[in-house]
């Protein structure tokens, strides 16, 4: 079948720009930028107003990458206006000298970049906010022009916000709640299948295996490293923390359900009552999924309808059935954690659900905290040289300040372009920055040559006024689709078209653009070579190792706390802090070109092992008082000794991860099943307290951690 003309082009465009988001943005930006520039430059005859209105439009319309639907993005832009005003004002005042402007650039560059710790909206605004200070901090030093500058920025930002919702608005993106709801549905199907396996026997095991694989794929889609930057719930506030905890609980549900599904003695080992508990868990997961996406009829305050106690038939069970009962009880706890986290994320502020029995750690400690205290805590956690956020902020601030010094000392024409090049081309690692250098310089040279030729052929300002819409479409619509070299070439052409209308220009304007981009790119490369040149790779080794060590200690302290001999809170808090740094390093690592020296480790499996230890222990402590195992000192002491050996194995893996090479086979796993047989003997002798099953739950959790350690030490795919 023959294709109609243009059909192949449309197919390629769909592949490069799904949903035509880039095309929509370029169209909105072209309309708004043309309107403000023509109105201010030719309608009002004010060059300053036109300059700041245009760059306010470009900064927020192109450099800002904001999450959420159009209305939310528009509100974010309007909320950022006071920050933009303050940066323009500070830049205007500090433009008095190169020293003042460069010192201001160092402070502003760090503060704005490090603010990304607070969440994806701040990350998305960072480059736009940097531009407001950069533009204002260059000569001429004219404090009297500040009202016109602020008016121009306000006009540009407000019109971009209006265009977001009124001009070809983007379709609402698939957000984290929708992804998590899909994963919860997959988990519910898996739990239902496990109920079938319990009562139906081997015939239902194949369906359970298929559903397990599907649930794993869906949950993989809510991992931070798999999500686009704007879709990650990395904010410091209560909602984002609750979404992260819900995702962690989902991973725990999958781990427990997976361990159940892989048991050869599972088919036919249960009864109708136990299967009913699993079906109620599946129903609770589906209700939580409805709450997450706010489906009609879903009430955020509903308690999940599952029984907290197992059926009384467990008292007549053998060791196999006791292990199944203990796993189901753990599953029930994790489903409750998932549902509670979803209610916190979607409901009003305040406490949801009962507090854990003191003095254990509170998994939802943030539910009643103020937003300000949560943000302060998150920023303080990343004020360490081990944070990739802090490293990136320091690297960028030093590069921008150095570029500002060079532009001022050498007195480069249009020195603003030097810092724009540094901001646009700098990457998190020296290797990635070097990769951008060649196409950027070639593209800039090509665009400068085309612009210089244009200035020679037609120096009249009217010609550039007519070319402005076309140059905007090419720079922001076509360039990003074709790659970095084309993007730089077309951006260079756009800047020449704009500046030829602001001031008298000659072909030398094109040469100044090429020189400025070359200087800015070289500054970025040198900063990358001198400051953490390996990007996140070095920190990933250190933070992943620290997370393994603290998680191993948390395992040891958790079991000792349940045995009544230790306080787990310090170890749990340390594991939480290490998790934040390790997760940030892993997310950044996946965004960079991978270092071959780090390819000998399956980093996702390593962090999964640490995560299972940390969050599994928190889940055990959430619903059990410290000392819950103390009535049975013999089995409790055996479990504590096993946890100590597991802690040592976590520390051994951490020492290998720190070298980015796993070269020692894992130690033999401790035998399982003895605790279940002991508990069976206790029950047979008259023990009728359901809490005795906690011994089997802890035993199963430790066995699962052995499996995670073995997967982490396997050869990476």
């Amino acid at each position: 079948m023959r294709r109609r003309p243009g059909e192949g082009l449309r197919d390629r465009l769909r592949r490069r720009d799904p949903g035509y988001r880039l095309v929509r943005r370029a169209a909105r930006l072209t309309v708004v930028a043309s309107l403000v520039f023509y109105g201010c430059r030719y309608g009002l005859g004010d060059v300053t107003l036109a300059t700041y209105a245009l760059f306010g439009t470009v900064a927020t319309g192109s450099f800002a990458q904001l999450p959420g639907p159009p209305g939310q993005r528009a509100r974010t832009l309007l909320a950022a206006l006071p920050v933009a005003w303050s940066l323009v004002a500070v830049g205007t005042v500090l433009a008095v000298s190169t020293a003042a402007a460069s010192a201001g650039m160092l402070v502003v560059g760090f503060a704005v970049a490090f603010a990304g710790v607070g969440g994806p909206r701040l990350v998305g605004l960072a480059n736009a906010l940097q531009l407001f200070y950069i533009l204002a901090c260059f000569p001429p030093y004219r404090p009297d022009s500040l009202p016109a500058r602020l008016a121009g920025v306000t006009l540009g930002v407000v019109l971009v916000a209006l265009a977001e919702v009124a001009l070809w608005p983007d379709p609402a993106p698939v957000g984290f709640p929708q992804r998590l709801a899909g994963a919860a549905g997959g988990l519910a199907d898996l739990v239902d299948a496990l109920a079938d396996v319990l009562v139906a026997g081997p015939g239902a095991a194949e369906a359970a295996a298929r559903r397990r694989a599907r649930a794993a794929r869906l949950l993989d889609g809510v991992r931070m490293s798999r999500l686009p930057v704007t879709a990650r719930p990395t904010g410091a506030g209560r909602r984002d923390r609750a979404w992260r905890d819900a995702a962690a609980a989902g991973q725990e549900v999958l781990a427990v359900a997976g361990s159940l599904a892989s048991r050869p003695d599972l088919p036919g080992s249960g009864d109708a009552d136990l299967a009913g508990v699993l079906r109620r868990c599946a129903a609770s997961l589906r209700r939580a999924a409805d709450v997450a996406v706010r489906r009609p009829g879903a009430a955020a305050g509903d308690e999940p309808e599952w029984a907290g106690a197992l059926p009384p038939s467990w008292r007549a069970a053998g060791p196999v059935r006791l292990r199944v009962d203990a796993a189901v009880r753990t599953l029930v706890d994790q489903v409750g954690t998932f549902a509670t986290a979803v209610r916190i994320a979607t409901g009003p502020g305040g406490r949801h659900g009962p507090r854990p029995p003191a003095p254990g750690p509170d998994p939802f400690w943030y539910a009643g905290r103020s937003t300000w205290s949560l943000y302060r805590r998150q920023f303080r956690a990343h004020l360490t040289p081990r944070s990739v956020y802090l490293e990136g902020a320091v690297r960028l601030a030093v590069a921008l300040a150095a570029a500002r010094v060079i532009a001022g000392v050498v007195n480069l024409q249009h020195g603003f372009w030097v810092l724009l090049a540094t901001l646009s081309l700098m990457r998190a690692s020296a290797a990635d920055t070097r990769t951008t250098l060649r196409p950027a310089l070639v593209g800039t040279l090509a665009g400068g040559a085309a612009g210089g030729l244009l200035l020679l052929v037609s120096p009249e300002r009217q010609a550039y006024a007519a070319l402005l819409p076309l140059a905007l479409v090419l720079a922001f619509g076509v360039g990003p689709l074709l790659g970095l070299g084309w993007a730089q070439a077309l951006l260079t052409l756009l800047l020449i078209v704009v500046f030829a209308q602001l001031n008298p220009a000659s072909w030398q304007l094109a040469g100044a653009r090429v020189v400025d981009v070359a200087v800015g790119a070289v500054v970025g490369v040198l900063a990358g070579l001198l400051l953490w040149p390996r990007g996140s790779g070095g920190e990933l080794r250190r933070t992943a190792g620290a997370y393994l060590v603290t998680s191993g200690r948390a395992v040891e302290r958790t079991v000792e706390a349940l045995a009544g001999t230790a306080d787990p809170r310090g170890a749990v808090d340390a594991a939480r802090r290490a998790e934040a740094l390790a997760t940030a390093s892993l997310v950044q690592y996946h965004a960079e070109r991978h270092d071959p020296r780090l390819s000998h480790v399956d980093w996702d499996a390593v962090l999964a092992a640490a995560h299972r230890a940390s969050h599994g222990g928190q889940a055990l402590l959430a619903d059990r008082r410290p000392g819950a195992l103390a009535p049975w000192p013999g089995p409790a002491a055996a479990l504590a000794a096993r946890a100590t050996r597991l802690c040592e194995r976590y520390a051994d893996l951490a020492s290998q991860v720190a070298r980015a090479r796993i070269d020692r086979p894992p130690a033999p796993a401790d035998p399982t099943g003895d605790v279940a047989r002991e508990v069976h003997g206790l029950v047979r002798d008259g023990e009728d307290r359901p809490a005795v099953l906690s011994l089997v739950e802890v035993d199963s959790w430790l066995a699962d951690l052995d499996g995670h350690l073995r997967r982490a030490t396997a050869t990476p795919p």
Side-chain angles (χ1 to χ4, degrees), residues 662-691:
I662 296 176
D663 48 16
R664 286 194 298 274
D670 289 308
T672 58
D674 292 341
V675 171
R677 283 189 287 272
E678 288 187 59
V679 171
H680 175 60
L682 289 170
V683 173
R684 189 178 52 199
D685 293 341
E687 177 63 68
D688 61 353
R689 289 172 289 184

Side-chain angles (χ1 to χ4, degrees), residues 32 36 52-61 73-82 84-85 125 128-129 132 150-164:
V32 174
V36 298
Y52 280 82
L54 178 64
F55 277 91
T57 302
V58 171
T60 52
R73 294 200 300 271
R75 290 191 295 272
T76 301
L77 290 176
L78 295 177
L81 250 181
W85 292 335
L125 284 170
L129 295 177
F132 289 123
L150 296 180
V153 166
T154 303
L155 180 62
V157 173
V158 169
L159 287 180
V160 168
L162 292 175
E164 285 281 352

Side-chain angles (χ1 to χ4, degrees), residues 614-641:
S614 173
H615 285 266
Q618 292 177 51
L620 286 171
L621 292 168
D623 298 301
R624 293 158 189 82
R625 286 185 176 277
L629 307 182
W632 308 281
L639 290 172

Side-chain angles (χ1 to χ4, degrees), residues 99 119 139 403 407 457 483 517 519 586 604 642 696:
V457 171
V517 169
V519 172
L586 181 67
D604 289 288
R642 184 177 172 189
V696 188

